[in-house]
Amino acid sequence: MIEISVLPLVANHATTGLCYYQNATSQVQLLRIRQTLEKVIFPGDRILFHAAPEDTLDIYSSTPTGFMQIDRIACSQLQVIES
């Protein structure tokens, strides 16, 4: 079963947008945005969250000894475009 999580709006940003990310890997991932978001997602999971365009999503992949950072994506690239 694929899970879609929707996380609450982060109150400390004046302007935030709805963002989308999918774990397309076969590894468990940890997502982190500064001190506002920290979420473990499993392979195939999708997540919707609110973030400011200037924020970055840090992505960590599970390893036998913990988590290792594998990517950093600007939240402006993850924003959902409403039509």
Side-chain angles (χ1 to χ4, degrees):
M1 182 174 145
I2 295 177
E3 176 184 334
I4 298 178
S5 299
V6 180
L7 299 178
L9 180 65
V10 177
N12 63 348
H13 290 298
T15 59
T16 62
L18 184 63
C19 299
Y20 170 84
Y21 177 78
Q22 178 179 359
N23 179 357
T25 72
S26 61
Q27 302 294 317
V28 173
Q29 291 183 337
L30 173 68
L31 306 180
R32 188 176 287 156
I33 299 176
R34 292 190 251 162
Q35 286 84 27
T36 61
L37 169 71
E38 189 167 293
K39 173 91 174 152
V40 173
I41 63 170
F42 293 92
D45 282 357
R46 300 172 181 144
I47 185 170
L48 290 170
F49 59 95
H50 290 271
E54 64 272 9
D55 284 339
T56 56
L57 179 68
D58 294 328
I59 304 165
Y60 300 82
S61 185
S62 60
T63 67
T65 58
F67 284 93
M68 177 179 72
Q69 186 171 357
I70 59 167
D71 206 354
R72 173 174 282 161
I73 304 172
C75 290
S76 61
Q77 295 179 340
L78 300 172
Q79 286 192 334
V80 175
I81 299 171
E82 298 181 39
S83 55

